[in-house]
Amino acid sequence: MILDRVIELRKRKRWSLQFTADQLGIAKSTYAGYESGYRRPSLEAIKCIADLFETSVDYLIGRVDTPTFPPEPERIKQLELTQFSEAELTVDGKPLSDEEINQFIAFIRSKREIERMKV
Amino acid sequence: MILDRVIELRKRKRWSLQFTADQLGIAKSTYAGYESGYRRPSLEAIKCIADLFETSVDYLIGRVDTPTFPPEPERIKQLELTQFSEAELTVDGKPLSDEEINQFIAFIRSKREIERMKV
DNA sequence: CTTAAAAGTTCGCGTAAAGCGTACACTTTG
DNA sequence: CAAAGTGTACGCTTTACGCGAACTTTTAAG
């Protein structure tokens, strides 16, 4: 967890350690331990913290740099088939099953494998 | 952590527990414990898992419903394969050629045709 | 079918560390 | 000046993480 970020979020709200800990339902010393880096929050705890401060867990641990939550939309340029997104693929308007997509992925992979062997 | 989501992500990549655990640098039983719900990953561990599966921690713990990372690209509800250029399709990060997509479309079409004949 | 290897499941043990209460220094408010 | 509030530090207890090992199930090869 990025200590500076949690501290920043709390100070912005002008909350004391005690008050924050009460909100989270944990002991003051426990929460203080998080901010000092003396202890690390459990998965459950950090989820509560993110909820409380209305930010993302990914922000708290430094995987993204924007504290906004829910995350800002972005423009998409490419779609990775092996990552199941919510985008539904269709052919002639009819949706493809996961099975079909997986078959296609397998097909492409072996195709590339064979291509690799040739060289 | 949402067990179904982690399991789904791993199966998508067709990885075994052992292989996945190796990638993460932990024991097979440890990772298996996560998926079965017997153990909960530490903050550090779930971060590694999110990195490995290229998704967000918030998705893994159910705070958002879109697995894509960086977070929440604009949602595409449907992508019609016969109309190119809406987005570039990739498998394992490598883009697919138009020819490959066309082959796939042809494959799906004949598959459906055969299905239709049966009935 | 037989059988060996790989994949997946479960569990006891040792121990790292989470969480708590408490104690202390310092600041603020009445 | 007390009295209450804030932040920091630490010992103790208990939780539960991570591991290896034993085991069952599935897959693949002969």
Side-chain angles (χ1 to χ4, degrees):
Chain A
M1 193 165 60
I2 311 289
L3 308 182
D4 297 342
R5 293 190 175 177
V6 203
I7 297 171
E8 169 78 17
L9 287 166
R10 179 173 62 84
K11 296 233 156 132
R12 209 169 268 277
K13 299 220 178 204
R14 319 227 161 159
W15 289 350
S16 69
L17 292 174
Q18 183 69 68
F19 179 80
T20 308
D22 289 345
Q23 297 283 312
L24 296 169
I26 61 178
K28 177 180 72 164
S29 62
T30 300
Y31 180 76
Y34 299 159
E35 282 198 2
S36 69
Y38 179 68
R39 291 263 185 269
R40 297 189 176 189
S42 67
L43 210 49
E44 197 55 43
I46 203 170
K47 182 177 171 177
C48 293
I49 294 172
D51 285 340
L52 188 63
F53 291 131
E54 297 167 292
T55 189
S56 70
V57 173
D58 289 280
Y59 176 73
L60 292 178
I61 65 178
R63 292 187 82 237
V64 299
D65 293 326
T66 23
T68 54
F69 187 84
E72 297 286 333
E74 256 174 42
R75 189 65 203 146
I76 186 180
K77 19 39 170 157
Q78 64 175 36
L79 186 68
E80 171 61 44
L81 287 184
T82 59
Q83 262 162 280
F84 74 111
S85 65
E86 294 190 348
E88 190 177 42
L89 294 179
T90 60
V91 167
D92 303 325
K94 281 183 63 182
L96 302 176
S97 68
D98 287 353
E99 176 77 328
E100 286 166 333
I101 294 171
N102 280 333
Q103 281 177 5
F104 182 49
I105 291 168
F107 166 69
I108 290 295
R109 279 177 172 160
S110 56
K111 184 165 169 292
R112 285 174 180 170
E113 185 62 21
I114 291 167
E115 209 60 39
R116 228 166 45 75
M117 301 291 271
K118 281 185 184 170
V119 191
Chain B
M1 192 166 61
I2 312 288
L3 309 182
D4 296 342
R5 293 190 175 177
V6 202
I7 296 170
E8 172 76 18
L9 286 165
R10 179 174 61 84
K11 298 233 157 134
R12 280 272 158 181
K13 301 223 178 204
R14 321 237 153 134
W15 290 351
S16 69
L17 293 173
Q18 184 69 67
F19 179 80
T20 309
D22 289 345
Q23 297 282 312
L24 295 169
I26 60 179
K28 177 179 73 163
S29 61
T30 300
Y31 181 77
Y34 300 157
E35 283 197 1
S36 70
Y38 179 69
R39 290 268 185 265
R40 300 192 175 183
S42 68
L43 210 48
E44 196 55 41
I46 204 171
K47 183 177 170 177
C48 293
I49 294 172
D51 284 340
L52 187 63
F53 291 131
E54 296 167 289
T55 188
S56 69
V57 173
D58 289 280
Y59 175 74
L60 292 178
I61 65 178
R63 291 187 81 237
V64 299
D65 292 326
T66 317
T68 53
F69 187 83
E72 204 112 334
E74 179 167 317
R75 185 175 297 179
I76 295 183
K77 1 69 209 168
Q78 258 195 5
L79 188 66
E80 172 59 49
L81 287 185
T82 58
Q83 290 169 323
F84 323 179
S85 77
E86 283 192 48
E88 187 179 40
L89 293 179
T90 62
V91 168
D92 301 325
K94 282 182 60 181
L96 302 175
S97 67
D98 288 352
E99 193 190 343
E100 284 167 331
I101 295 173
N102 281 334
Q103 281 176 7
F104 182 52
I105 291 169
F107 168 69
I108 290 295
R109 280 178 174 158
S110 57
K111 184 165 169 290
R112 286 176 179 166
E113 185 61 21
I114 291 167
E115 209 62 39
R116 227 166 46 75
M117 302 290 273
K118 282 185 186 168
V119 190

